[in-house]
Amino acid sequence: MQFDECARLILWDIDHTLLDGGGVSRDAYSSAFARVTGRPMSRMADMTGKTDLLIASETLRLHDIDPDPGTLTTFITAVAEELEARADLLAVRGHVLPGVPEALDYTRAGTPRQRKEARRYGRRP
């Protein structure tokens, strides 16, 4: 199989990679932290290039809280709930980062073989 015939999988972290969430994620973490620990979040881990699991773990450590599996699961679940509750705010406070539309268009373009087959069968790759 040639390279252009290989299937590809592209994984991106969304926040700070594809969009700036306008502080929505930080607010969600702050609320979740207070719910789980009973105290305010005074510091938050740097989010850049990290998964939510790592951000949550590091944020707990910044507050001298051991991110044991139970605590971490409770915290990350609370973060997910808080993010879901704030989903509409992303449209108001967030914005797509420069170059993202072009990058997404490039990934949708498919391989040369996929484009050829798409033209043959009248489909978009």
Side-chain angles (χ1 to χ4, degrees):
M1 179 183 302
Q2 294 181 15
F3 178 75
D4 68 342
E5 296 172 336
C6 294
R8 72 183 134 170
L9 172 65
I10 300 171
L11 299 175
W12 270 319
D13 172 41
I14 296 173
D15 202 7
H16 297 281
T17 302
L18 300 180
L19 62 87
D20 177 332
V24 173
S25 291
R26 181 172 176 72
D27 292 349
Y29 269 88
S30 182
S31 293
F33 187 88
R35 280 177 43 197
V36 171
T37 68
R39 60 190 216 208
M41 184 181 79
S42 60
R43 297 170 59 198
M44 183 173 167
D46 178 29
M47 300 175 82
T48 308
K50 297 178 182 172
T51 64
D52 282 307
L53 197 57
L54 183 57
I55 295 164
S57 181
E58 290 180 359
T59 298
L60 289 169
R61 282 192 183 101
L62 287 171
H63 294 84
D64 296 321
I65 299 171
D66 179 29
D68 64 79
T71 303
L72 190 54
T73 298
T74 301
F75 183 36
I76 203 71
T77 299
V79 169
E81 292 166 356
E82 293 291 340
L83 285 168
E84 186 173 341
R86 291 167 170 76
D88 292 343
L89 284 176
L90 283 175
V92 176
R93 293 170 46 186
H95 64 274
V96 174
L97 293 173
V100 169
E102 294 83 3
L104 293 176
D105 285 344
Y106 179 79
T107 62
R108 279 193 291 265
T111 65
R113 181 179 175 155
Q114 289 170 325
R115 287 191 295 273
K116 181 179 176 184
E117 288 177 6
R119 283 191 301 274
R120 182 185 327 161
Y121 297 108
R123 295 186 315 245
R124 186 174 175 178

